[in-house]
């Protein structure tokens, strides 16, 4: 999807001219609302909660689609150019990064979280080796020491306290665009932060006394969640959900499951469950779903309800009192 600046410029000019002749601007001109584009679901959720009735929010990633694989249409480019604000996570969606480098106009709010050096690994097979045959305390130490600088987990929103900080970013951006409603945005952000605080307290309360401390997941999307609430993840794949596990990797995961007494393997909404289900069948353990909330698949759900469903799944798998 990467294009030269000249290509983007010609495309953008043609699109804007065509719409001017048609007398419309992507359906936003007559609403009088602040136009916000969110690059994927968690940012859409924050924008809607903080903006309330004063904003019109559009999500670039279709429901049920994998945000990593986002490709922009010509309409998407126009929507970006006509937006007042764009909420994004740099490095997470390369096609969007390329487009925003060429587009002028919208205020870009980059929600990239401050890196935690021990979150994520570029060497998942090494991580599994660290788990096999060690006590929890021993392999926790190996996990921290072994992953120090090898990768970055982008899924900061799975820690509710970090998503709460994003609410402040969004409120600040909206207030700069629409100063007349700054008080409303600040109040909405405070309300969202209170709700996220309640969610955080629920996670801490229900995960504070568990017999198990390791979960096995399809890919290592849950580093922030695990770090916040004191358990560990072992991924069939590493940070890249598209990577295919080798036979040696599968043997390592099986060894972790046996050594740690893991009784559940977690699949995800947007990934094929085939590998996880085959492994679970071989080892006679159960399969549950843990949602990394990259995209919303249930129109009747939202961030808070999906996170609470995740909490229910975790309390069962971690054998919490």
């Amino acid at each position: 999807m990467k294009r030269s600046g000249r290509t983007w410029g010609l495309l953008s000019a043609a699109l804007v001219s065509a719409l001017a002749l048609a007398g419309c601007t992507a359906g936003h001109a007559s609403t009088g609302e602040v136009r916000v584009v969110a690059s994927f679901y968690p940012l859409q959720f924050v924008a809607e909660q903080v903006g309330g009735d004063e904003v019109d929010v559009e999500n670039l990633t279709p429901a049920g689609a994998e945000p990593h694989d986002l490709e922009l249409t010509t309409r998407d480019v126009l929507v970006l150019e006509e937006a007042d604000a764009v909420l994004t996570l740099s490095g997470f969606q390369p096609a969007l990064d390329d487009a925003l480098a060429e587009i002028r106009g919208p205020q870009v709010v980059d929600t990239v979280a401050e890196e935690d050096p021990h979150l994520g690994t570029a060497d998942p097979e090494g991580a599994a080796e660290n788990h096999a045959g060690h006590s929890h305390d021993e392999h926790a130490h190996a996990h921290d020491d072994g992953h120090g600088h090898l990768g970055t987990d982008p899924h900061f929103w799975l820690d509710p306290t970090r998503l709460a900080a994003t609410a402040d970013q969004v409120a600040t951006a909206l207030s700069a665009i629409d100063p007349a409603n700054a008080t409303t945005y600040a109040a909405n952000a405070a309300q969202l932060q209170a709700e996220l605080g309640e969610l955080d307290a629920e996670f801490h309360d229900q995960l504070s006394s568990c017999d198990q401390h390791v979960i096995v997941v399809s890919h290592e999307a849950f580093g922030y969640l695990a770090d916040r609430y004191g358990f560990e993840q072992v991924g069939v794949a590493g940070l890249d959900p598209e990577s295919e596990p080798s036979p040696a990797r599968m043997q390592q995961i099986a060894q972790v499951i046996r050594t740690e007494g893991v009784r559940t393997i977690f699949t995800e909404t947007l990934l094929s469950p085939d590998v996880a289900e085959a492994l679970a069948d071989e080892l006679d353990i159960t399969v549950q779903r843990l949602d990394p909330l990259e995209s919303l698949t249930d129109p009747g759900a939202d961030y808070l309800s999906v996170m609470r469903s995740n909490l229910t799944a975790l309390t069962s798998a971690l054998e919490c009192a």
Side-chain angles (χ1 to χ4, degrees):
M1 192 60 203
K2 189 170 184 178
R3 305 172 187 267
S4 69
R6 175 176 173 79
T7 302
W8 277 114
L10 292 172
L11 173 61
S12 301
L15 286 169
V16 172
S17 297
L19 286 176
L21 290 172
C24 65
T25 53
H28 293 303
S30 64
T31 65
E33 298 170 327
V34 177
R35 295 164 295 186
V36 177
V37 175
S39 61
F40 62 105
Y41 174 70
L43 303 186
Q44 174 193 350
F45 173 75
V46 173
E48 290 173 343
Q49 297 300 306
V50 174
D53 295 335
E54 309 303 327
V55 303
D56 180 22
V57 183
E58 180 162 344
N59 186 351
L60 280 181
T61 303
E66 170 56 68
H68 299 282
D69 300 331
L70 177 69
E71 294 289 343
L72 300 181
T73 65
T74 52
R75 178 190 177 279
D76 293 333
V77 176
L78 176 63
V79 168
L80 288 169
E81 291 186 329
E82 293 295 314
D84 295 301
V86 178
L87 310 184
T88 185
L89 176 62
S90 61
F92 188 58
Q93 296 170 293
L96 180 58
D97 291 345
D98 290 343
L100 290 176
E102 302 294 341
I103 290 173
R104 301 294 177 263
Q107 181 171 343
V108 177
V109 181
D110 188 355
T111 60
V112 65
E114 180 181 353
E115 283 191 24
D116 281 332
H118 64 286
L119 292 178
T121 175
D123 182 21
E125 297 198 13
E129 288 174 348
N130 283 336
H131 285 78
H134 294 276
S135 70
H136 169 66
D137 290 341
E138 288 170 336
H139 65 57
H141 181 73
H143 174 82
D144 287 342
D145 289 349
H147 296 184
H149 57 280
L150 295 177
T152 302
D153 179 356
H155 304 81
F156 75 91
W157 58 88
L158 293 177
D159 177 347
T161 64
R162 291 178 180 270
L163 194 64
T166 301
D168 280 334
Q169 281 185 279
V170 174
T172 298
L174 293 178
S175 297
I177 294 165
D178 180 22
N181 287 303
T183 301
T184 297
Y185 299 137
N188 289 348
Q191 175 62 34
L192 175 57
Q193 288 170 333
E195 293 176 357
L196 292 171
E198 292 174 3
L199 179 67
D200 179 54
E202 290 176 31
F203 267 80
H204 272 300
D205 180 59
Q206 295 186 40
L207 298 177
S208 63
S209 180
C210 304
D211 293 333
Q212 179 60 264
H213 299 280
V214 175
I215 62 170
V216 175
V217 294
S218 295
H219 92 290
E220 293 184 345
F222 302 95
Y224 284 98
L225 186 71
D227 186 64
R228 178 68 181 170
Y229 302 112
F231 60 91
E232 295 182 67
Q233 66 169 344
V234 175
V236 175
L239 288 173
D240 180 5
E242 305 299 327
S243 64
E244 289 289 334
S246 66
R249 172 65 174 168
M250 297 301 292
Q251 291 177 10
Q252 291 165 0
I253 294 294
Q255 182 60 38
V256 169
I257 289 171
R258 295 186 185 100
T259 301
E260 298 292 339
V262 172
R263 300 302 306 159
T264 300
I265 186 168
F266 285 108
T267 61
E268 297 176 23
T269 307
L270 302 179
L271 298 180
S272 169
D274 293 349
V275 173
E277 288 177 348
L279 185 59
D281 185 61
E282 177 186 342
L283 299 174
D284 192 27
I285 62 175
T286 62
V287 176
Q288 292 193 55
R289 178 173 294 173
L290 201 61
D291 195 333
L293 267 163
E294 295 178 352
S295 183
L296 196 66
T297 56
D298 179 359
D302 67 5
Y303 172 88
L304 296 171
S305 66
V306 173
M307 283 292 284
R308 288 189 167 100
S309 294
N310 282 345
L311 177 56
T312 297
L314 286 170
T315 56
S316 173
L318 293 173
E319 302 172 15
C320 305

